[in-house]
Amino acid sequence: MTERPPVLSVRGLSVRFLVPGSGPVAAVTDAYFDVVPGECLALVGESGCGKSVLASALLGLLPANAQTAGRALLGDLDLLAADERTLARTVRGRRIGLVPQSPAAHLTPVRTIRAQTEETVAALTGVRGRAALRAAAEKAAARAAFPADHLDRHPHELSGGLAQRAATALALIGDAPLLLADEPTTGLDRDLVDHTVDELRRHVDAAGDRALLIITHDLAAAERIADRVAVMYAGRIVELTDADTFFGASGPRHPYSRGLLNALPDRDFTPIPGMPPELGALPEGCAFAARCDHATPACATLPPLTETVACHHPHPVETLEDVRA
């Protein structure tokens, strides 16, 4: 990582959905983070915590009933204030490459994968000529381990894993400064998970001025490639720390973060009790308190994100001597 300005700087990003007949749904609340050149930031958390909504906000892909606040600076462009023309013509694909969570919804159903790949190559790289486009499309497919003999198939002829690889291939074509990968390993077996995340990492490392924001449930994939980890719970980022610390011997400091790790099969395999709160009815204090063994009366007050963790009773920082003991 470098001392250069962040590729993406998010400050106070919030998203509310206005639902007729009920109050607003607080999908994302007051998110703060940077993604710097040469870095992979992994955004992790349970389903429904707001990770994909945050990604959609960055790309201007929220539904009409959404309201946003805060800033999300991509260089000198505020993504939250940008109009659709700017996002469509200068951001999506060119400055931000997207690996979508639901590739079937992003692939054109009536066109082959080859046609869509060649069109993307032509639009983002300037390659021209039938033979050159064909070669470039096959090279793009190979980067995502998409088999060349499937390029002439339509999206409905692909398995979920193959559709995911096709979407990954499309996202990598423009060599965008920021790659946003929303659950990029869905439907893939372990070997293909490793191949996919390694290719995303190579995208970052190839030039040194690119960055990756990966949204994932797969903590093993995050551990493999992330430099830092941001943990999201009930629409808020509750911990933001180095990956080496998060996955290391001392572990994360927030009780929820520790619960995520302890639920893994290769760790304690102990699930977190209870369920996350409804985003339309969040408590005034810590949203995790009802599921937390360490909750105290202080948790009735919302804890701010101080340094790396938003918790009134975080796990203490362990020194090397503590770990050895």
Side-chain angles (χ1 to χ4, degrees), residues 205-324:
D205 295 337
D209 57 354
R210 302 172 188 158
L212 168 63
L213 175 59
I214 181 171
I215 295 169
T216 184
H217 291 95
D218 190 338
L219 292 180
E223 183 176 10
R224 187 176 180 92
I225 65 167
D227 298 296
R228 289 190 301 147
V229 177
V231 181
M232 206 164 185
Y233 184 77
R236 290 183 178 272
I237 292 178
V238 297
E239 187 159 9
L240 180 59
T241 189
D242 290 341
D244 287 345
T245 299
F246 188 89
F247 294 107
S250 59
R253 301 188 63 202
H254 197 282
Y256 174 65
S257 306
R258 298 180 77 86
L260 287 178
L261 285 180
N262 289 336
L264 295 176
D266 60 346
R267 301 220 180 189
D268 291 346
F269 206 26
T270 304
I272 302 173
M275 295 291 291
E278 293 291 334
L279 295 178
L282 292 174
E284 293 185 4
C286 174
F288 188 63
R291 307 172 71 186
C292 182
D293 292 337
H294 307 287
T296 67
C299 300
T301 302
L302 186 68
L305 182 63
T306 306
E307 294 181 352
T308 64
V309 63
C311 183
H312 291 298
H313 44 75
H315 194 272
V317 176
E318 294 182 346
T319 65
L320 182 59
E321 289 73 20
D322 293 330
V323 173
R324 286 173 175 170

Side-chain angles (χ1 to χ4, degrees), residues 64-151:
N65 68 330
Q67 291 185 342
T68 61
R71 295 186 300 162
L73 297 177
L74 183 69
D76 58 358
L77 175 66
D78 186 351
L79 296 171
L80 302 185
D83 57 37
E84 173 59 24
R85 180 184 177 89
T86 299
L87 293 169
R89 296 198 173 191
T90 68
V91 175
R92 299 182 195 128
R94 291 172 171 81
R95 297 181 66 181
I96 301 179
L98 172 66
V99 182
Q101 183 179 24
S102 302
H106 286 254
L107 297 171
T108 304
V110 297
R111 303 185 67 207
T112 66
I113 301 303
R114 183 186 299 279
Q116 296 181 60
T117 306
E118 290 183 359
E119 179 183 44
T120 304
V121 169
L124 298 183
T125 70
V127 172
R128 295 292 184 269
R130 184 173 180 179
L133 284 171
R134 185 179 183 88
E138 292 177 357
K139 181 179 179 181
R143 289 182 69 182
F146 185 88
D149 59 0
H150 284 54
L151 279 168

